[in-house]
Amino acid sequence: MTVSTSPAGAPPAARRTLLGRALESATHRSVPVLVVLAIIWAIFYSQSSAYLSFQNLTNLTLQIVTTAILALGVVFVLLVGEIDLSSAVLSGVCAAVAAGLVVNSGLPLAVGIAAAVLTGMAVTFVEAQVIMFGVPSLIVTLGGMVILQGLILVVLPPEFTISVAATPFAKIASTTIPAGLSYALAAAGTAAFAAYRLFQHRERVSTGSAASPAAVVVPSLVLGAALLGGVFTLTRQRGLPMPLLILAVMLLVAWYATTQTRYGIHLYAVGGDREAAQRAGIPVRRMVLYSFLVLGACAAVAGMVDASRQLGVSVTSGSGPLMLNAIAAAVVGGTSLFGGRGSIWSALLGALVIGSISNGVQLLGLSTEVQYFATGSVLIVAVAADVVLARGSLLPGRR
């Protein structure tokens, strides 16, 4: 992304130009991801018609929630040109804190949730301070991961496990939204999006720019069809699962913050060119700190949702392939490892790609090696494409 960064006091038109370039880049990068996702679905559906059944699609969406929430936080860190390897283990620590307070200490669920989020943000605050001191984020978060693996042993009780079954904590994942309310929420979301597009259309017309009503109608119809179709599919079982609503709210809040606020302009500017952002008066160090704080909050929410689904917290919480899957989801979804390019929707799209492979392998009873081969190959191809986009050429650069 070519950054012509505007200072904090720049005219709104200048800020919209920079943001428009970032959004245009994100949109173009999403198309290949959707094509890859369609190919994956077609391949697994050809092997088993149950792959696209209502029940399996519901299972797929529930399986990707934890990865998508964590990947959302990773996207914020990648956008400023940093990386984090500790957030998966941090999610386990935060879940252990929340479960300990709610289950073992008998405190209200709201207190446990607040404590978990504050814990996640406190840990990433410390990591960000070390990173801003000059230590590479790769090393800081790698060391943080090892420290957190020891910390979860301290937080957990002597039996190293906390069961949340039949407790308020379990309701996070077990609660469902009735079909009627789910359709109402989908309709409200579509109406809000249509109103936003209409506002943009009128703003362009008022400035004399060429604008077609189709730019309002077509995206609104596509979004409405997608939301209503999703609700129809996901409410065929018991209702819309609460974790999906949590993910949707987080994505919408993150979308607004990154596309409709000065914070979003600064976020992309810092990731695109830190020196230019610094000269433009953007607080680079503060933006890096904010990104890690967002990651800490996302890690806490991801950990609690996963613990509620698994009905417990243990030393294995946050371990396994979760960290790799979250980073892979962000990158495969279209967020650049080099900073400054990507979208918060990368978290959802990438998680769908990674989760679809895993779900298909499990459904067909294939070996775990197939899942690892496929996931690794998709990640390598995505990073290679990112390198080509960053370099602007298929030819390797001179050394």
Side-chain angles (χ1 to χ4, degrees), residues 97-372:
V97 170
L101 292 175
V102 175
V103 178
N104 294 342
S105 301
L107 295 177
L109 179 60
V111 174
I113 293 175
V117 172
L118 289 175
T119 299
M121 296 177 70
V123 171
T124 52
F125 176 84
V126 174
E127 290 181 336
Q129 295 301 318
V130 179
I131 291 169
M132 289 186 291
F133 179 74
V135 183
S137 57
L138 178 69
I139 301 302
V140 173
T141 57
L142 180 62
M145 178 182 67
V146 177
I147 294 173
L148 290 169
Q149 287 174 337
L151 181 60
I152 194 171
L153 298 176
V154 176
V155 175
L156 289 172
E159 55 271 22
F160 297 123
T161 184
I162 301 175
S163 174
V164 301
T167 69
F169 201 95
K171 294 181 179 179
I172 297 176
S174 62
T175 301
T176 57
I177 310 300
L181 181 57
S182 300
Y183 280 112
L185 291 173
T190 303
F193 179 78
Y196 167 71
R197 298 290 296 190
L198 181 60
F199 172 78
Q200 285 188 320
H201 174 72
R202 290 179 175 176
E203 194 176 45
R204 292 191 188 100
V205 172
S206 65
T207 57
S209 301
S212 170
V216 178
V217 177
V218 175
S220 300
L221 290 177
V222 171
L223 177 65
L227 290 179
L228 293 176
V231 170
F232 175 77
T233 300
L234 298 173
T235 55
R236 300 288 290 182
Q237 301 298 316
R238 295 180 301 161
L240 185 68
M242 180 61 74
L244 292 181
L245 183 60
I246 293 173
L247 172 61
V249 171
M250 294 180 69
L251 286 171
L252 288 174
V253 171
W255 169 81
Y256 180 83
T258 55
T259 63
Q260 307 301 309
T261 66
R262 181 179 297 179
Y263 166 79
I265 301 294
H266 291 178
L267 187 72
Y268 283 98
V270 170
D273 190 330
R274 288 196 180 184
E275 292 185 3
Q278 189 79 51
R279 290 194 298 269
I282 295 175
V284 174
R285 293 166 62 88
R286 194 187 308 164
M287 295 305 299
V288 173
L289 173 61
Y290 289 163
S291 295
F292 274 91
L293 291 178
V294 171
L295 175 58
C298 290
V301 175
M304 288 184 286
V305 169
D306 189 58
S308 182
R309 287 190 61 241
Q310 302 296 334
L311 296 178
V313 185
S314 66
V315 292
T316 60
S317 297
S319 60
L322 178 58
M323 189 71 256
L324 172 63
N325 287 345
I327 296 176
V331 176
V332 169
T335 300
S336 174
L337 282 171
F338 304 101
R341 295 194 309 275
S343 163
I344 57 95
W345 302 109
S346 304
L348 178 60
L349 293 176
L352 273 173
V353 171
I354 302 300
S356 296
I357 295 174
S358 175
N359 179 271
V361 168
Q362 294 173 9
L363 184 66
L364 298 180
L366 302 177
S367 62
T368 308
E369 293 84 13
V370 176
Q371 176 183 340
Y372 289 150

